[in-house]
Amino acid sequence: MKSLLILNGPNLNLLGSRKPEVYGTTTLAEVEEMCRREAGELGLQIVFRQSNHEGQLIDWIQEAGPEVQAGRSIGAVFNPGAFTHTSVALHDAIEAARLPVIELHISNVHHREEFRHQSWISPVARGIIIGLGVHGYPIAIRALHQVSE
Ligand code: DQA
């Protein structure tokens, strides 16, 4: 059975209580459950991870690339949180690892402050899902599965 990585960046551990008017009330544990269900329907296993630390996210991306190249994984769904708008290092890691990534944002970042309109991840993403709330996660899994066939 192939796997996929679901990677969440800083502050997403606070999902459910953080700015519910923007991010909703679903917790990260509930998102994990939604993802597990969706992946199960597609015959995929998920590895679900969250970190507030850029270097940790980079390490996981570097590990994930070879998994894809070995045919054991189809890639990653990645919500980089605020690192989206700041991290050249995450951009470089995705590119170097040749990791197929669906970039995901719960909120519509283009409706929000201007500093959220720039993404360092989009140029190296296979696709982008923005503004569909936590429903974007299962949609992103399905999309990654579809484009990796
Ligand atoms: C986010 C959007 C980012 O701008 C923000 O910093 C986050 C979450 C989203 O999912 O909408 O932490 O990635």
Side-chain angles (χ1 to χ4, degrees):
M1 187 185 269
K2 285 199 184 189
S3 70
L4 87 148
L5 175 64
I6 318 238
L7 206 50
N8 287 285
N11 299 308
L12 289 160
N13 54 314
L14 303 177
L15 215 55
S17 59
R18 171 191 181 204
K19 282 177 123 1
E21 69 284 7
V22 175
Y23 299 113
T25 53
T26 307
T27 65
L28 194 62
E30 289 165 340
V31 170
E32 179 171 358
E33 194 39 51
M34 286 165 60
C35 290
R36 210 168 288 285
R37 217 175 307 128
E38 189 72 16
E41 282 177 19
L42 298 169
L44 296 166
Q45 239 170 7
I46 61 162
V47 177
F48 195 93
R49 291 184 159 149
Q50 187 276 330
S51 177
N52 294 325
H53 305 280
E54 192 176 16
Q56 176 64 85
L57 294 166
I58 290 168
D59 288 346
W60 285 335
I61 288 166
Q62 289 185 4
E63 285 168 22
E67 287 299 301
V68 175
Q69 280 112 52
R72 289 190 290 267
S73 165
I74 64 166
V77 171
F78 186 23
N79 184 345
F83 290 149
T84 307
H85 319 297
T86 63
S87 183
V88 176
L90 282 170
H91 167 115
D92 285 353
I94 293 166
E95 189 172 51
R98 291 184 288 124
L99 180 66
V101 163
I102 305 287
E103 176 185 355
L104 179 145
H105 302 287
I106 296 167
S107 64
N108 182 348
V109 285
H110 298 291
H111 267 172
R112 301 181 64 194
E113 303 96 322
E114 202 168 336
F115 64 82
R116 295 185 203 276
H117 298 179
Q118 158 84 22
S119 168
W120 291 103
I121 308 306
S122 296
V124 290
R126 178 69 177 76
I128 306 165
I129 292 176
I130 293 178
L132 303 180
V134 294
H135 305 297
Y137 283 86
I139 292 168
I141 291 173
R142 211 159 268 271
L144 184 61
H145 177 250
Q146 214 127 29
V147 297
S148 71
E149 272 178 349

